[in-house]
């Protein structure tokens, strides 16, 4: 597939490709087609933000574990309610990190799988 664009539109498309993290114009076209078809696509910015959130949640989990360790060693006395909160965080944070990782991975897989189904359906319609 090929097309011609005026310089201004080509510049705008190249900027979009950069924003989406496309390594080539072909990658950019594929991303735009998938997005226009309702498939899930992450921009480079969104992917970076999600990865940053996942990283920060991991750091928070480490800090919560350090608080619990210090409390267990008598260095940070806590009331029963505080212990319950720390324990809840210790149980919840790894689950949140895991869920976020799965969402990121699934959205990427789903976007590709849905696009393949879309292409197959289009090819079937042309040949049928």
């Amino acid at each position: 597939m090929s097309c011609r664009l005026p310089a201004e539109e080509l510049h705008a498309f190249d900027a979009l490709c950069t924003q989406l993290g496309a390594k080539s114009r072909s990658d950019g076209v594929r991303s735009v087609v998938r997005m226009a078809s309702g498939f899930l696509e992450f921009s480079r910015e969104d992917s970076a933000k999600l990865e940053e959130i996942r990283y920060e949640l991991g750091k928070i989990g480490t800090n919560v574990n350090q608080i619990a360790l210090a409390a267990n060693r008598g260095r940070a006395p806590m009331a029963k309610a505080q212990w319950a909160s720390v324990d809840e965080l210790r149980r919840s944070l790894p689950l949140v990190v895991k869920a976020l990782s799965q969402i990121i991975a699934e959205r990427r897989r789903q976007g590709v799988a849905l696009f393949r189904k879309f292409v197959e359906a289009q090819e079937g319609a042309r040949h049928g």
Side-chain angles (χ1 to χ4, degrees), residues 33-118:
V33 168
R34 286 191 297 259
M35 286 186 295
S37 301
F39 298 117
L40 304 170
E41 284 289 310
F42 285 118
S43 70
R44 180 184 289 174
E45 253 180 45
D46 289 342
S47 292
K49 286 177 186 175
L50 288 172
E51 292 296 337
E52 183 179 326
I53 290 168
R54 184 170 59 177
Y55 176 75
E56 288 299 322
L57 285 172
K59 287 179 22 182
I60 291 168
T62 299
N63 290 341
V64 169
N65 286 336
Q66 289 174 346
I67 290 168
L69 181 63
N72 279 331
R73 293 183 176 168
R75 295 183 192 155
M78 290 196 287
K80 189 174 184 175
Q82 291 170 317
W83 265 114
S85 296
V86 168
D87 282 341
E88 178 62 27
L89 281 171
R90 290 180 74 205
R91 283 191 305 275
S92 307
L93 283 173
L95 299 175
V96 172
V97 171
K98 183 178 179 180
L100 181 58
S101 298
Q102 289 172 339
I103 289 167
I104 293 168
E106 181 59 27
R107 286 185 72 182
R108 287 180 181 151
R109 276 192 303 276
Q110 198 175 56
V112 171
L114 287 173
F115 183 68
R116 285 185 182 140
K117 286 181 187 177
F118 172 76

